[in-house]
């Protein structure tokens, strides 16, 4: 079946710094979504990409269907960015999303 | 604006007892409704996608048995039985398949189940 490999599993950043999360796909996917799980347990949409890149504030995401990966870049990290980030790849034929295992991001003062 | 309303948000479930979950769709522009589970290992997994009233599907996974029903255009239900491990069930919605951005998924706030 479809598989999504997300890395790193955990990431620690100091305020003001940045890094990138990555998801690799074992097959060609139609689109990718990135989510953040907030303190209440809700999954918040960050990006939906069918191709190319999108940017929103301090977050930027890219998706390359042919090369089978997506990235989420965080710059100028703030304490409130802490949480668990998930990527998910969409199989349009089935409407099914396959999730990565998540990245636990901790931003420290 | 909240697209989905799930209830209950939390439930303690005596071992061997079934629990019924409901999800109400607030915006008919996103009629494709699905259930996802997140187990204790935090793995998120698709369970069902039901589009039409009357659609039903069953599935057995490690730790629980499921029966999903699309009751109406705005209501999706999930019965969870024989649960041996706690989990969180998320309801989702999306626009019709096909066309740009129609696969984008929106999540409800989840129903967290704990086994007693």
């Amino acid at each position: 079946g479809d598989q999504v490999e997300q890395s790193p599993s955990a990431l620690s950043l100091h305020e003001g710094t940045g890094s990138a999360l990555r998801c690799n796909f074992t097959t060609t996917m139609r689109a990718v979504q990135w989510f953040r799980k907030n303190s209440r347990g809700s999954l918040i949409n960050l990006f939906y990409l069918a191709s190319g890149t999108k940017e929103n504030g301090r977050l930027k995401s890219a998706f390359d269907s042919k090369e089978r990966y997506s990235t989420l870049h965080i710059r100028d990290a703030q304490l409130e960015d802490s949480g668990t980030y998930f990527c998910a790849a969409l199989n349009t034929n089935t409407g099914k999303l396959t999730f990565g295992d998540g990245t636990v991001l901790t931003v420290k003062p | 604006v909240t697209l989905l309303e799930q209830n209950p948000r939390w439930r303690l479930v005596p071992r061997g007892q079934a629990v019924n979950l409901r999800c109400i769709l607030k915006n008919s522009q996103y009629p494709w409704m699905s259930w996802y589970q997140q187990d204790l290992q935090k793995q998120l997994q698709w369970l069902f996608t039901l589009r039409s009233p009357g659609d039903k599907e069953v599935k057995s996974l490690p730790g629980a048995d499921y029966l999903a029903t699309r009751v109406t255009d705005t209501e999706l239900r999930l019965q969870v039985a024989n649960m041996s491990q706690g989990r969180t069930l998320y309801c989702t919605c999306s626009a019709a398949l096909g066309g740009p951005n129609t696969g984008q998924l929106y999540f409800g706030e989840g129903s967290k189940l704990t086994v007693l």
Side-chain angles (χ1 to χ4, degrees), chain A residues 12-29:
Chain A
S12 181
L13 294 176
H14 285 288
E15 269 187 299
T17 64
S19 189
L21 314 180
R22 185 179 176 102
C23 282
N24 293 323
F25 315 120
T26 55
T27 62
T28 301
M29 297 293 185

Side-chain angles (χ1 to χ4, degrees), chain A residues 30 33 35 37 40-43 45 47-50 54 86 90 92-101, chain B residues 9-10 34 36 38 41-46 49 90 97-109:
Chain A
R30 170 69 176 83
Q33 278 188 251
F35 301 89
K37 193 172 186 181
R40 294 183 60 196
S42 299
L43 284 164
N45 277 316
F47 295 103
Y48 174 91
L49 296 102
K54 285 188 179 178
F86 292 94
L90 176 68
T92 303
N93 291 328
T94 62
K96 171 186 165 184
L97 273 181
T98 302
F99 281 77
D101 287 344
Chain B
R9 292 290 318 282
W10 301 272
S34 303
Y36 284 76
Q38 185 175 40
Q41 284 69 44
K42 306 301 182 186
Q43 182 86 39
L44 271 157
Q45 181 181 4
W46 170 80
T49 299
Y90 289 96
L97 293 178
N101 289 337
T102 55
Q104 186 164 6
L105 212 63
Y106 298 91
F107 278 75
E109 296 204 313

Side-chain angles (χ1 to χ4, degrees), chain B residues 59-113:
Chain B
K59 189 170 282 190
S60 288
L61 291 178
D65 297 328
Y66 296 107
L67 166 63
T69 307
R70 184 70 180 263
V71 181
T72 65
D73 283 328
T74 58
E75 184 175 346
L76 182 70
R77 292 184 187 171
L78 184 68
Q79 183 183 83
V80 186
N82 300 318
M83 193 171 63
S84 59
Q85 287 183 344
R87 61 202 60 221
T88 299
L89 284 306
Y90 289 96
C91 173
T92 71
C93 65
S94 63
L97 293 178
N101 289 337
T102 55
Q104 186 164 6
L105 212 63
Y106 298 91
F107 278 75
E109 296 204 313
S111 296
K112 185 174 181 179
L113 306 180

Side-chain angles (χ1 to χ4, degrees), chain A residues 13-20 36 46-47 54-61 72-82 85 105 107:
Chain A
L13 294 176
H14 285 288
E15 269 187 299
T17 64
S19 189
R36 184 173 70 86
L46 297 176
F47 295 103
K54 285 188 179 178
E55 192 165 355
N56 184 1
R58 295 175 291 99
L59 298 178
K60 181 177 179 180
S61 183
L72 177 69
H73 292 260
I74 301 173
R75 63 177 175 82
D76 188 25
Q78 303 297 305
L79 296 177
E80 60 265 28
D81 294 331
S82 294
Y85 290 75
L105 173 64
V107 181

Side-chain angles (χ1 to χ4, degrees), chain B residues 7-69:
Chain B
N7 65 78
R9 292 290 318 282
W10 301 272
R11 178 61 58 89
L12 298 175
V13 184
R15 193 173 292 273
Q17 201 172 91
V19 59
N20 293 303
L21 310 180
R22 290 176 75 224
C23 179
I24 304 299
L25 178 65
K26 300 291 191 179
N27 188 327
S28 59
Q29 292 186 41
Y30 304 93
W32 290 81
M33 298 181 77
S34 303
W35 287 109
Y36 284 76
Q37 74 162 18
Q38 185 175 40
D39 61 25
L40 295 177
Q41 284 69 44
K42 306 301 182 186
Q43 182 86 39
L44 271 157
Q45 181 181 4
W46 170 80
L47 295 175
F48 307 99
T49 299
L50 299 178
R51 171 63 183 86
S52 303
D55 287 350
K56 278 189 180 183
E57 195 170 339
V58 295
K59 189 170 282 190
S60 288
L61 291 178
D65 297 328
Y66 296 107
L67 166 63
T69 307

